[in-house]
Amino acid sequence: MVFRFLILFIIIAIVELYAFQAIKTVTKSKWILISYAIISLAAIVFITYELLKFDRSVGQTKTTLITLGLLLLVLLPKIVLTFVMLLEDVFRFLMGTVTHFMGHNSDSFLPERRKFVSQVALGLAAVPFISLIYGMTIGKYNYKVIRQALFFKDLPDAFDGFKITQISDIHSGSFDDENKIRYAIDLINEQESDLLLFTGDIVNAKADEMHPWIEIFNGLKKFEHGKYSVLGNHDYGAYLDWKSEKAKADNFVAIKDLHRQIDFKLMLNENVKIKKGDDEIALIGVENWGKHFGEYGDINKASENLTEADFKILMSHDPSHWEYIVKKHPKNIQLTLSGHTHGMQFGIEIPGYFKWSLAKYLYKQWAGLYEEFGRYVYVNRGFGFHAYPGRVGIMPEITVFELKKGEKVA
């Protein structure tokens, strides 16, 4: 543990040194340099203090969110600075070596830093700095309605044109703006869908995080074919230190009851038939199954009375369930709806052309629609936010699916 802290201290010291050098190269003002040093030191002291006093029996708080946001705001731009300045140092070292062996006289082995390079480094560092501020002030509530038409040859005729709205990863314990959440609820209602599905993580850890928001979520209208939900990894209270197993169990019971309080039918490894006219489709809901976050979901139990010929939609919070189990399941589950990844709340996305996030290195399916073996999984980017109190590039999402009979025309 001491060794890890020592390595972390060395890395931070290097980053701070390079950042200070960049500022010093651009300006000679003593007061600017002193002010920068004081602000940087104050930020480091505050972040260190808050991280050291983090209490796992309490979990994430508003202060924790601020601390993590400030950590990224301080660290990421300086890492960009360090990278550019380090490249310059490599160049300076090579030039100094060449000059030395060529016998040129010089007062210093290393050439002086170039002001232009420091200006470029500061300009590049401003991009993540401004982006992170945007994400924490505007981006986290910049809801996007994403519409997705899905074509199936075996879709029952009566469901041609059937509309489903999906939300995921509410994380109510992170909310701090009642008006923005009301706006999002209105957006959901405006979609005029037939069915509303919520794919898990109603809280960060504790049931009482949702209590201030129950009245707002009860503003969701009645959907003709109902509102259904499943649990996510955060709904099991696994990220807290509980006083007793009973306290943890009581919290889990209370979290499950939250779904009833906002008029959702919580599905726990079970299925229900959605009927329209003379046709029906099967909606399956499993508990959380994650390669790294607990394997509670039981797809066999949840689909035990269904056949391969039935048209099936599965709600499963973690897309790794689809990757490791569902996509090859003998019951032929045509469509799986997931969430969980949040797209890491940070990335670059140009709809229809390009998307990138660090999430792609952790999950094969991390945002949007994927298909293998004629089966689909859709990964919702999430309704709320967690840990980092913002969103950059990967916006909060309300997904509207329209099921279509037939094959998609290229």
Side-chain angles (χ1 to χ4, degrees):
M1 182 65 73
V2 175
F3 179 73
R4 289 180 181 177
F5 274 111
L6 179 61
I7 295 297
L8 182 61
F9 174 80
I10 292 172
I11 292 173
I12 291 174
I14 292 172
V15 168
E16 288 295 334
L17 177 63
Y18 271 109
F20 184 78
Q21 287 182 353
I23 300 293
K24 188 177 179 180
T25 303
V26 171
T27 179
K28 302 301 182 184
S29 171
K30 180 176 68 174
W31 294 112
I32 291 177
L33 294 173
I34 291 174
S35 298
Y36 170 80
I38 291 173
I39 292 171
S40 292
L41 180 61
I44 291 171
V45 169
F46 173 79
I47 292 167
T48 302
Y49 172 74
E50 289 296 332
L51 291 178
L52 288 175
K53 79 181 189 76
F54 177 74
D55 187 349
R56 272 185 58 89
S57 67
V58 175
Q60 180 176 284
T61 64
K62 295 295 188 291
T63 303
T64 308
L65 284 168
I66 292 171
T67 302
L68 291 173
L70 182 60
L71 176 63
L72 290 174
L73 195 61
V74 169
L75 197 58
L76 281 184
K78 290 182 179 180
I79 288 175
V80 172
L81 271 175
T82 299
F83 178 75
V84 176
M85 302 296 283
L86 190 59
L87 287 179
E88 184 190 22
D89 274 353
V90 171
F91 178 79
R92 290 168 68 210
F93 177 79
L94 293 175
M95 289 299 298
T97 301
V98 171
T99 301
H100 175 75
F101 283 104
M102 289 183 67
H104 295 296
N105 294 324
S106 177
D107 295 334
S108 173
F109 175 76
L110 292 177
E112 289 188 2
R113 289 196 178 279
R114 290 173 294 176
K115 185 176 180 179
F116 172 73
V117 174
S118 293
Q119 289 173 331
V120 170
L122 287 167
L124 292 174
V127 174
F129 184 79
I130 294 170
S131 298
L132 286 166
I133 291 177
Y134 166 84
M136 291 186 284
T137 55
I138 298 174
K140 63 184 179 181
Y141 293 124
N142 187 14
Y143 294 99
K144 300 298 182 183
V145 177
I146 297 179
R147 293 177 172 82
Q148 181 77 59
L150 298 173
F151 291 80
F152 300 94
K153 291 185 292 184
D154 54 349
L155 181 71
D157 292 340
F159 286 86
D160 188 15
F162 191 80
K163 290 175 67 177
I164 300 170
T165 292
Q166 180 202 9
I167 58 173
S168 192
D169 300 87
I170 289 174
H171 288 285
S172 54
S174 300
F175 292 157
D176 57 11
D177 192 322
E178 180 178 314
N179 290 331
K180 295 295 186 182
I181 303 305
R182 290 189 187 277
Y183 165 74
I185 297 299
D186 288 341
L187 269 182
I188 294 170
N189 288 336
E190 288 171 8
Q191 305 314 310
E192 297 295 334
S193 292
D194 301 291
L195 178 68
L196 177 61
L197 303 179
F198 164 48
T199 46
D201 278 359
I202 196 169
V203 295
N204 294 331
K206 294 181 176 180
D208 60 13
E209 295 168 1
M210 184 64 182
H211 292 169
W213 309 99
I214 288 175
E215 178 267 330
I216 295 178
F217 276 83
N218 274 322
L220 288 167
K221 69 175 188 176
K222 298 287 183 181
F223 284 68
E224 182 179 353
H225 293 277
K227 294 181 279 189
Y228 295 87
S229 58
V230 293
L231 297 171
N233 55 300
H234 281 268
D235 298 324
Y236 293 83
Y239 303 104
L240 292 185
D241 291 334
W242 296 90
K243 293 180 180 179
S244 66
E245 285 300 316
K246 182 179 184 305
K248 182 178 180 180
D250 288 346
N251 181 69
F252 187 45
V253 170
I255 284 175
K256 288 188 286 187
D257 191 57
L258 291 173
H259 295 254
R260 176 194 62 81
Q261 294 180 53
I262 60 172
D263 197 30
F264 277 76
K265 162 60 179 168
L266 177 62
M267 301 183 72
L268 301 167
N269 297 321
E270 57 190 295
N271 68 77
V272 64
K273 294 293 181 66
I274 306 294
K275 300 181 184 296
K276 186 177 182 184
D278 295 329
D279 292 327
E280 63 183 20
I281 62 176
L283 177 65
I284 308 169
V286 295
E287 291 194 58
N288 185 68
W289 192 103
K291 191 65 177 175
H292 307 290
F293 297 98
E295 300 177 4
Y296 305 105
D298 188 337
I299 187 63
N300 294 323
K301 177 183 177 183
S303 62
E304 61 186 1
N305 63 327
L306 302 177
T307 69
E308 184 179 350
D310 290 321
F311 188 89
K312 297 168 288 295
I313 298 174
L314 169 66
M315 290 188 292
S316 182
H317 176 71
D318 190 322
S320 65
H321 190 203
W322 188 81
E323 173 63 21
Y324 288 97
I325 302 293
V326 175
K327 71 180 183 182
K328 294 182 180 179
H329 196 273
K331 287 289 180 72
N332 182 34
I333 296 168
Q334 289 91 334
L335 174 63
T336 299
L337 302 181
S338 298
H340 181 62
T341 71
H342 302 203
M344 287 194 78
Q345 298 168 208
F346 194 99
I348 302 170
E349 187 163 14
I350 304 173
Y353 296 95
F354 178 79
K355 63 181 178 183
W356 176 89
S357 166
L358 288 172
K360 72 176 294 181
Y361 304 111
L362 299 174
Y363 295 91
K364 187 175 179 181
Q365 299 82 26
W366 61 275
L369 186 67
Y370 302 83
E371 183 267 334
E372 281 189 58
F373 311 114
R375 305 174 187 186
Y376 293 91
V377 61
Y378 189 91
V379 185
N380 183 285
R381 294 160 181 81
F383 183 91
F385 51 93
H386 177 65
Y388 166 57
R391 282 180 175 267
V392 177
I394 308 295
M395 295 299 118
E397 175 179 357
I398 297 165
T399 321
V400 180
F401 302 99
E402 184 175 7
L403 306 185
K404 303 292 291 183
K405 177 82 172 184
E407 297 185 12
K408 183 178 180 179
V409 178

